[in-house]
Amino acid sequence: MRNVGIIGIGYTPVFVSKRKDVNIAEMISEAVEDCFANTGLGPDDIDAMVFGNMHTFEGVNMPHLWAADYIASLGKPVMRIATGGTTGMSAIHAAYYHIASGLHDVVMVVCFEKQSEGDSQVGLMGIVTPEIMAMLQAGIDISGSSGMGALAGGSAGAISFQASSYLARSGAGIEHIDGMAALERRNAAKNPYAHLKDANATAESVARTALISYPIRFGHICPTSDGATVAILASEEKAAELADGAAWIHGLANCASDASAGNILEGVITDPAEQMPCQLAAKQAFERAGIKDPKKEIDCVEIYNGFAHQTLMFLEKLGMCEVGEAHKLLDAGELEINGRCPVNASGGVVSTNAIGTSAMNRVTECALQILGQAGEHQVEKDVHKALSHGWGGLMQYVTITVLADKPRKG
Amino acid sequence: MEETRIVNATWDVSTFKYRIEGQGLTRMLSGMRDAKLIGIKCSKCGTVYLPGSFYCRKCHIEIDEAIEVGDHGEVMTYTVGYADVRGNPLEEPRVSPMVKFDGCDAWVMGALEGVKPEDVHVGMRVKVAWAEERTGSLQDMQYFIPE
Ligand SMILES: [Zn+2]
């Protein structure tokens, strides 16, 4: 397979709750223009497009075709990707396959979400509609007060089972979720493309926010954001011709398991905090990247964390530390932007969540760290290899991408 | 600050005509009428599903061994809710555990009564409080109570 590098990145000027000044296609085009401006490239340099966002969130069923002229895709192959929360990284993976296979040389990835124009909870409901219909017929109480299968309600309700299981089995406490959220809010304050920023956030200030569904507090939860991200990927030969530098994809993998949330109809059998797909995908991606000890070889990490406990949980599942150790790294300051294992220097998904972009931004943020272009949120240590992680599906699908500062050999 | 948008609408669920593999659910519901929990066991790996699937997702084989599982079990994880599904504060916080019944591999969601939120813990033993008049509905299992 051929080497593939990320040679350009573009963002919308801001990621915020409501972009009322632009429509969906206009907003996407801002990131496309930003990427062209940053690279000096134009539509004629692009061979093919990959487009991604959450299915049903805006209720626009074919946004990749609707926005065709705004993403400069006229006359080019376009593929839409929708794998849930992982969409943005799956789109990067699709572009990688396009180029590594030799089919195309330069591919542009365009991902967006404009949550203010849709209804994300209705979109999420679409994940389990057939099951809910069957459960309603069988007497499930949707208010959650009685009966088998009584629901805890929405994404935060489902995730609280995961967080609670993680705390009980890792030895971490709710104060560590507070501390992790605070660290990421502070990092977000250094990132012009982050949404929820608080330079003065502390574990104590997060602990003062309301409990939504134990152990999840308001301060642990991601916002709903409007924004778009664009990246240009190229073969080694084209990268040398078109760009000054690149972040090279050394290994990638993805993995699913059985549905761990909502699948009451056929028996829920998986601990929502087990996250076996993360362990399997990370192992495979590290093997492909030739990484033997990620603890030593990975310089920074971007984790998909809609909820702050997930940063700690996934650090352990990814093999970046031992089980039950992540909260100790947090206490020791090692996860900070100037620490030994900087995590989510960007502020993470918990600070910015335009969902179609969220898993993609884990990759683009790792690329910026490798290229030394992250600006104020550039981590202190030198970054040679970086690990990005996407999570979503039915709480059981994970994508991994390992980036490096040099093309892969062999 | 902008106010939250509220959209009032109705959702006619009868328009959905999904065909769902629900025989395991049907079997479990008929058992619940007799205050019994009937799952399905895989003959190869031994996994006990509740409600049962007629297919083992681990072994990729058809399975059909009905097995009664205990109505006592262990809290595997839990949450405490402070608001209803519309976001209105509840008068009393609501404890919702996932429980692994004895002799079963599934984690089942429900409500837990008779214990204060601060006294709930993972590993706690609980049992089913069955409804007195049972109709073969998920409501037959009213909630969990401490063992
Ligand atoms: Zn089996």
Side-chain angles (χ1 to χ4, degrees):
Chain A
M1 281 195 297
R2 302 199 299 171
N3 272 323
V4 179
I6 298 171
I7 63 167
I9 292 160
Y11 292 125
T12 41
V14 288
F15 284 68
V16 292
S17 295
K18 295 182 176 73
R19 280 296 305 276
K20 288 190 170 170
D21 54 323
V22 285
N23 66 27
I24 289 174
E26 289 166 347
M27 185 188 76
I28 297 168
S29 76
E30 293 176 345
V32 174
E33 291 308 319
D34 187 49
C35 192
F36 283 150
N38 291 341
T39 54
L41 302 177
D44 292 345
D45 297 303
I46 308 298
D47 299 332
M49 318 278 299
V50 181
F51 186 101
N53 79 309
M54 278 293 286
H55 22 4
T56 73
F57 270 27
E58 287 81 10
V60 180
N61 283 332
M62 304 234 179
H64 59 307
L65 303 179
W66 188 47
D69 41 351
Y70 285 81
I71 60 172
S73 70
L74 295 179
K76 297 184 198 301
V78 181
M79 170 189 279
R80 184 191 179 199
I81 299 280
T83 60
T86 48
T87 288
M89 201 182 299
S90 296
I92 293 274
H93 287 188
Y96 175 87
Y97 304 149
H98 279 42
I99 298 166
S101 66
L103 193 65
H104 297 292
D105 292 321
V106 183
V107 177
M108 187 156 91
V109 181
V110 179
C111 287
F112 88 97
E113 214 67 69
K114 198 162 192 286
Q115 297 208 61
S116 65
E117 291 195 16
D119 189 324
S120 307
Q121 291 303 324
V122 168
L124 286 174
M125 190 67 190
I127 295 171
V128 291
T129 307
E131 290 217 315
I132 291 288
M133 294 306 149
M135 299 303 285
L136 283 170
Q137 288 162 13
I140 197 174
D141 175 18
I142 210 141
S143 79
S145 56
S146 67
M148 182 186 278
L151 298 175
S155 181
I159 211 69
S160 55
F161 287 119
Q162 180 187 74
S164 181
S165 177
Y166 172 69
L167 291 188
R169 290 167 178 86
S170 69
I174 189 169
E175 67 276 13
H176 293 105
I177 312 181
D178 299 335
M180 196 65 235
L183 186 157
E184 301 201 43
R185 293 279 189 270
R186 293 195 301 272
N187 285 352
K190 299 174 193 286
N191 177 2
Y193 303 104
H195 181 172
L196 292 183
K197 312 172 188 209
D198 183 355
N200 301 312
T202 61
E204 292 72 29
S205 69
V206 173
R208 285 194 290 272
T209 63
L211 269 171
I212 303 294
S213 187
Y214 172 86
I216 298 296
R217 298 188 202 280
F218 184 76
H220 301 161
I221 303 177
C222 59
T224 56
S225 313
D226 289 357
T229 303
V230 169
I232 299 176
L233 283 70
S235 63
E236 196 169 353
E237 193 178 295
K238 273 286 180 183
E241 184 188 316
L242 298 176
D244 294 332
W248 299 95
I249 294 176
H250 275 214
L252 49 76
N254 65 80
C255 186
S257 76
D258 52 355
S260 66
N263 194 3
I264 307 158
L265 197 58
E266 295 174 323
V268 180
I269 61 163
T270 311
D271 177 356
E274 181 188 34
Q275 294 297 315
M276 186 55 76
C278 182
Q279 303 175 49
L280 294 173
K283 186 167 174 285
Q284 198 168 47
F286 289 144
E287 271 170 21
R288 287 173 177 162
I291 287 177
K292 293 191 177 61
D293 184 355
K295 295 186 197 74
K296 292 202 179 91
E297 295 174 67
I298 296 291
D299 299 307
C300 73
V301 190
E302 282 283 336
I303 286 175
Y304 192 109
N305 59 340
F307 305 86
H309 72 281
Q310 295 185 317
T311 326
L312 299 168
M313 182 184 80
F314 281 123
L315 272 175
E316 296 176 7
K317 308 298 174 189
L318 290 164
M320 291 304 297
C321 64
E322 300 303 319
V323 173
E325 198 187 27
H327 66 283
K328 294 173 187 163
L329 297 183
L330 174 71
D331 286 343
E334 297 195 3
L335 308 183
E336 303 272 352
I337 213 162
N338 59 358
R340 189 183 59 84
C341 178
V343 177
N344 290 358
S346 64
V349 180
V350 77
S351 301
T352 313
N353 196 14
I355 296 194
T357 71
S358 292
M360 179 173 178
N361 287 7
R362 310 287 59 78
V363 181
T364 55
E365 284 297 325
C366 282
L368 290 174
Q369 293 290 347
I370 282 172
L371 294 164
Q373 293 173 4
E376 212 193 322
H377 66 288
Q378 182 74 39
V379 305
E380 199 170 276
K381 65 196 279 197
D382 289 341
V383 179
H384 302 289
K385 288 182 180 170
L387 170 64
S388 55
H389 156 270
W391 171 84
L394 296 162
M395 298 180 62
Q396 46 51 287
Y397 184 60
V398 167
T399 55
I400 305 284
T401 308
V402 179
L403 295 177
D405 57 353
K406 295 185 185 66
R408 186 178 52 188
K409 295 213 173 59
Chain B
M1 205 165 123
E2 217 168 327
E3 77 286 7
T4 300
R5 181 183 50 139
I6 294 175
V7 179
N8 291 309
T10 55
W11 191 16
D12 181 2
V13 296
S14 70
T15 60
F16 294 94
K17 305 212 164 27
Y18 303 108
R19 185 177 181 281
I20 293 161
E21 200 274 278
Q23 297 137 286
L25 181 64
T26 308
R27 182 182 284 186
M28 186 185 77
L29 291 171
S30 61
M32 286 174 79
R33 192 175 286 131
D34 304 320
K36 287 187 166 73
L37 293 169
I38 308 294
I40 296 177
K41 182 178 178 180
C42 173
S43 56
K44 195 173 169 193
C45 71
T47 298
V48 176
Y49 297 90
L50 180 82
S53 165
F54 281 70
Y55 177 79
C56 180
R57 64 188 72 168
K58 294 180 180 173
C59 305
H60 309 290
I61 56 169
E62 286 184 26
I63 57 174
D64 188 19
E65 184 190 339
I67 184 166
E68 185 180 345
V69 308
D71 63 356
H72 290 232
E74 186 178 327
V75 171
M76 303 305 285
T77 184
Y78 71 97
T79 184
V80 184
Y82 301 89
D84 67 16
V85 287
R86 296 190 189 280
N88 302 311
L90 292 167
E91 280 182 25
E92 293 290 330
R94 178 189 294 150
V95 180
S96 304
M98 289 176 88
V99 172
K100 190 163 176 274
F101 290 117
D102 298 339
C104 174
D105 293 291
W107 293 21
V108 173
M109 276 186 254
L112 176 58
E113 301 278 334
V115 58
K116 290 194 195 110
E118 57 269 30
D119 294 333
V120 182
H121 60 271
V122 170
M124 180 177 177
R125 295 284 303 171
V126 296
K127 63 180 180 183
V128 173
W130 293 100
E132 280 187 20
E133 288 192 16
R134 294 179 300 276
T135 58
S137 145
L138 292 170
Q139 292 296 324
D140 290 346
M141 191 197 90
Q142 291 178 291
Y143 39 75
F144 302 106
I145 50 175
E147 198 170 54

